[in-house]
Amino acid sequence: RSPRYSQSTTNLIPNSIGLRNIVVLLGGRDRKTMISFILMVNKQGQTRYSSYYEWISMEERVALESEIIRKCLSRSELQCSFLEYRGYKVIYRRYASLFFIVGTKPDLAGTENNENELGMLEFIHTLVETMDKWAGSICELDIMYQLEEVHFLVDEMVQNGYIAETNRANILRPIALMERESQKADSMFR
């Protein structure tokens, strides 16, 4: 029995894909590429969240971020959401006033970045849906004022640069437990 395919993504991603299967879609454990960084940026180009999974000096991070953000923000909505810059394959998507940007680079052994761009777009969409379920409708203020929880949420999904979990319930359960514990009078989080 073959899965039904979506017409909107040029017949490449099944409709009944399931969040657990994103890891398989991206190549599973045998992947040669990993996520190098995740950025969340507003329309003015201000970084609201950044997470790096490979060591980059602070000066290089600032330069890389500003150049990639400038390139992503200057592109029109009619242009593709993928670009290559300084060896990184950059995949981005805009949701309301936020840009979610993921950068990948081949591992040291790899010479070519064969990352599945549509799989990464699906990962970004899953990240946004998970954040929406956690915060209602995710906005820039949620990221700014609850940055620790956002880091925790992303860390539940991505570990050491590889996508580890995509099931919303499994991602949000530890966050709900922390919030419930912090509401108790004798909480260790007070």
Side-chain angles (χ1 to χ4, degrees):
R1 181 177 157 185
S2 64
R4 289 170 284 153
Y5 288 89
S6 170
Q7 296 298 320
S8 63
T9 56
T10 62
N11 298 333
L12 294 177
I13 298 179
N15 282 337
S16 59
I17 188 168
L19 296 177
R20 274 250 184 241
N21 295 330
I22 291 174
V23 175
V24 174
L25 180 67
L26 292 172
R29 298 184 197 278
D30 298 330
R31 292 180 39 179
K32 296 272 189 227
T33 57
M34 63 178 268
I35 294 174
S36 298
F37 58 85
I38 297 175
L39 305 173
M40 296 178 198
V41 180
N42 67 9
K43 288 193 294 189
Q44 289 76 34
Q46 299 167 320
T47 303
R48 296 302 181 198
Y49 171 90
S50 67
S51 185
Y52 288 83
Y53 299 100
E54 65 178 24
W55 188 86
I56 302 174
S57 68
M58 201 55 154
E59 297 82 23
E60 192 176 337
R61 280 186 189 193
V62 171
L64 182 70
E65 269 185 42
S66 64
E67 293 166 7
I68 287 177
I69 291 168
R70 188 173 52 251
K71 284 190 174 289
C72 290
L73 267 61
S74 67
R75 295 169 68 93
S76 74
E77 291 183 18
L78 300 175
Q79 289 180 299
C80 182
S81 295
F82 321 129
L83 59 102
E84 293 200 21
Y85 182 74
R86 288 183 19 186
Y88 291 97
K89 189 175 283 188
V90 179
I91 300 102
Y92 70 94
R93 188 153 183 191
R94 180 180 170 194
Y95 286 92
S97 65
L98 288 171
F99 283 84
F100 292 80
I101 304 170
V102 175
T104 64
K105 195 173 191 176
D107 287 341
L108 295 176
T111 57
E112 189 176 326
N113 191 342
N114 294 322
E115 187 60 62
N116 184 339
E117 295 93 350
L118 293 176
M120 274 299 161
L121 276 177
E122 185 67 25
F123 165 72
I124 293 171
H125 185 70
T126 302
L127 173 63
V128 172
E129 282 183 338
T130 305
M131 293 176 82
D132 278 343
K133 189 170 183 179
W134 163 68
S137 179
I138 192 71
C139 67
E140 185 177 350
L141 293 176
D142 292 322
I143 295 171
M144 289 173 55
Y145 292 119
Q146 297 177 331
L147 188 60
E148 186 174 326
E149 286 88 353
V150 173
H151 272 281
F152 191 79
L153 189 143
V154 174
D155 288 345
E156 285 290 312
M157 293 182 78
V158 179
Q159 295 175 1
N160 200 25
Y162 294 98
I163 298 172
E165 184 65 67
T166 56
N167 185 317
R168 275 183 243 137
N170 291 344
I171 295 165
L172 294 174
R173 187 176 301 118
I175 296 172
L177 288 172
M178 283 189 339
E179 288 176 358
R180 195 174 331 136
E181 180 65 26
S182 68
Q183 301 301 319
K184 293 180 181 177
D186 59 343
S187 170
M188 65 185 225
F189 295 110
R190 283 194 179 252

